Amino acid sequence: MSQRMRLPGLLGELAAEFAGTMILILFGVGVVAQVVAGGIGDHDSIAWAWGLGVTLGVYVAARISGAHLNPAVTLALAVFKGFEWRKVLPYMLAQTLGAFVAAMVVRWNYTEVLGAFDPGHTIKSQGVFSTLPGNGALPVDMWGGFRDQIIGTAILLFVILALTDLRQNTPAANLAPVVIGLLVVGIGMAWGTNAGYAINPARDFGPRLASFLTGYGTAFRDQNNDLYFWVPIVGPLLGGLGGAGLYQLLIGRFLPKEGPAEPGRVPIPTQAETVKAGH
């Protein structure tokens, strides 16, 4: 009986993760297709559209699933924040499926433009869907991309935990998605050179698979012919754990428990005050 009662809740959470990640990728991969193949926009428009995609995806899913939208987030929350382990793999699969479906929509919609820009569907436009070391052009190899993904995702998780820790001076509940979106914009503008700031295994593998199934025979390799697809999967998972662990080590364990604020400090809202404010 209890299992039957839990199942619909999990299904709803998976639907939310699928939908939220799909929205994220519709904006993210869509803007890269527009800039690279259509010649409209630049690096800044890519960074801003990815950030807006994150914000809107979080708004879509947050109430139901917590809006992880990223396997690195899901894994870090399971290790450090008590997220249920039985949900980890289903969340990751739902996120990857949402990214795959969104990328298929982008691939379909931009068929003519991609065909005109790169008739052979080669490395020239492969970066529309998945990341490459040095964005396919700069002298960065597979291991440079791996290093970059660890660092970039560590930054992401460190700041996400700071923004969502109720013991912190966090943004109001309805503004947190906006600030998380700005975080992604910042990472894109500061950490986008070496590996295209995937910082999300679902974001990279779902579209990579979609491109492979629709004519990109080199989708799993980089411009150096190295088998690269694993880098934006393993790197972010390790980086997310590192960033979340570092947050716990440097900040989380020193935050005060709920209670009266020390004189001269910004008051920390109690759990009851937080819940009341949310209503």
Side-chain angles (χ1 to χ4, degrees), residues 13 17 52 64 67-68 86 106-107 128 138 169-170 177 194 203 228-229 250 254:
E13 291 169 29
E17 286 296 303
L52 287 170
I64 298 174
H68 298 185
R86 71 181 182 90
V106 173
R107 177 71 175 88
V128 166
L138 298 172
N169 298 319
T170 57
N194 282 4
R203 168 267 174 273
Y228 187 78
F229 78 94
L250 298 179
F254 297 116

Side-chain angles (χ1 to χ4, degrees), residues 152-225:
T153 316
I155 296 169
L156 177 72
L157 263 296
F158 188 101
V159 180
I160 283 178
L161 290 194
L163 292 172
T164 56
D165 194 329
L166 291 178
R167 298 170 299 163
Q168 284 272 33
N169 298 319
T170 57
N174 60 337
L175 287 179
V178 175
V179 182
I180 292 172
L182 290 174
L183 167 62
V184 172
V185 172
I187 292 174
M189 289 183 171
W191 292 87
T193 297
N194 282 4
Y197 70 104
I199 58 176
N200 181 338
R203 168 267 174 273
D204 194 86
F205 185 74
R208 193 181 294 272
L209 180 61
S211 67
F212 178 76
L213 295 176
T214 57
Y216 285 83
T218 60
F220 293 102
R221 295 187 177 271
D222 62 20
Q223 69 272 21
N224 305 311
N225 203 37

Side-chain angles (χ1 to χ4, degrees), residues 16-18 20-22 24-25 54 58 61 65-78 83 88 91-96 99 149 152-154 156-157 160 180 184 187 197-204 232-233 235-240:
E17 286 296 303
F18 170 88
T21 310
M22 183 174 65
L24 161 61
I25 300 302
V54 169
V58 172
S65 69
H68 298 185
L69 314 186
N70 182 340
V73 173
T74 300
L75 180 62
L77 293 181
F83 183 71
V88 169
Y91 263 52
M92 291 180 174
L93 292 174
Q95 293 153 2
T96 304
Q149 285 302 284
T153 316
L156 177 72
L157 263 296
I160 283 178
I180 292 172
V184 172
I187 292 174
Y197 70 104
I199 58 176
N200 181 338
R203 168 267 174 273
D204 194 86
I233 296 174
L237 291 174
L238 294 177

Side-chain angles (χ1 to χ4, degrees), residues 116-138:
F117 177 74
D118 181 18
H121 303 310
T122 67
I123 288 286
K124 183 179 178 181
S125 62
Q126 182 175 309
V128 166
F129 298 95
S130 53
T131 58
L132 293 162
N135 292 309
L138 298 172

